[in-house]
Amino acid sequence: MSLRLRVGALVLSTVATLGIVVTAGPASASVSSGYVSGVETWTDDWYDEGPLTTSSNSHSNVVAMWQAILWADGKLAYSGIDCRFGSGTYNATRAWQAAYGVGVDGKVGSETFKKAATYLGASNGKYIYYGTNDRYVTFTRSSEGIWGMYVGNDHHQLGYGYANFDVCS
């Protein structure tokens, strides 16, 4: 084989190998999957979620999730859980971000979700809780990695494309 063919084969082999290395890795969750989801450990599932704003993903079960977190932390009234990211949620988000040392912009992106995830706590492996005492949110995570949430006795998956909790209008 000529030197030219050997170099070409080496380059193609290297490119193919690098392509596999670059694309291999754990699956990640995001708005593109349609749900709050993840693989393996649940503690990092929220790191690439969002954004939620008054104009992006502004009416969904994921907004209800964020509003429930705001409620658990005393930043939003329970009646404010309506699956709509309006001015009340925007202002409560800014207050939450200021209290937790996250960039205050009123948008819920990966940085804000990542900070919120640090306050999640598991109980018996079936439920995942956020909050303390009488203000807490109960989450679930299916064997497929899709998150769900209870609002009262109403349980639904946390999807970006729909708002079907009883409190949603």
Side-chain angles (χ1 to χ4, degrees), residues 48-98:
D48 56 356
E49 293 298 333
L52 305 176
T53 69
T54 55
S55 61
S56 181
N57 303 306
S58 60
H59 185 223
S60 70
N61 282 357
V62 181
V63 172
M65 170 188 141
W66 178 247
Q67 291 170 328
I69 289 168
L70 293 172
W71 167 80
D73 284 335
K75 305 297 182 206
L76 188 69
Y78 189 81
S79 61
I81 302 173
D82 63 2
C83 305
R84 293 187 183 279
F85 200 109
S87 60
T89 302
Y90 172 81
N91 291 328
T93 298
R94 289 179 57 83
W96 189 96
Q97 290 170 327

Side-chain angles (χ1 to χ4, degrees), residues 12-22:
L12 286 175
S13 173
T14 302
V15 168
T17 301
L18 288 176
I20 292 169
V21 170
V22 170

Side-chain angles (χ1 to χ4, degrees), residues 22-152:
V22 170
T23 60
S28 65
S30 69
V31 68
S32 63
S33 73
Y35 298 96
V36 175
S37 61
V39 296
E40 297 176 14
T41 180
W42 54 266
T43 57
D44 63 359
D45 286 358
W46 293 4
Y47 287 22
D48 56 356
E49 293 298 333
L52 305 176
T53 69
T54 55
S55 61
S56 181
N57 303 306
S58 60
H59 185 223
S60 70
N61 282 357
V62 181
V63 172
M65 170 188 141
W66 178 247
Q67 291 170 328
I69 289 168
L70 293 172
W71 167 80
D73 284 335
K75 305 297 182 206
L76 188 69
Y78 189 81
S79 61
I81 302 173
D82 63 2
C83 305
R84 293 187 183 279
F85 200 109
S87 60
T89 302
Y90 172 81
N91 291 328
T93 298
R94 289 179 57 83
W96 189 96
Q97 290 170 327
Y100 286 91
V102 179
V104 179
D105 61 5
K107 300 174 184 176
V108 184
S110 60
E111 182 182 351
T112 300
F113 270 124
K114 184 176 183 177
K115 185 68 170 185
T118 65
Y119 295 97
L120 289 168
S123 172
N124 76 10
K126 183 174 181 183
Y127 301 106
I128 304 166
Y129 296 102
Y130 182 96
T132 59
N133 301 324
D134 61 338
R135 285 192 166 204
Y136 63 90
V137 184
T138 305
F139 295 103
T140 59
R141 185 172 179 248
S142 72
S143 59
E144 294 83 24
I146 297 174
W147 284 67
M149 180 181 77
Y150 286 93
V151 174

Side-chain angles (χ1 to χ4, degrees), residues 147-168:
W147 284 67
M149 180 181 77
Y150 286 93
V151 174
N153 292 324
D154 192 20
H155 180 269
H156 292 286
Q157 290 180 329
L158 296 175
Y160 286 91
Y162 55 87
N164 63 349
F165 282 102
D166 290 344
V167 297
C168 299

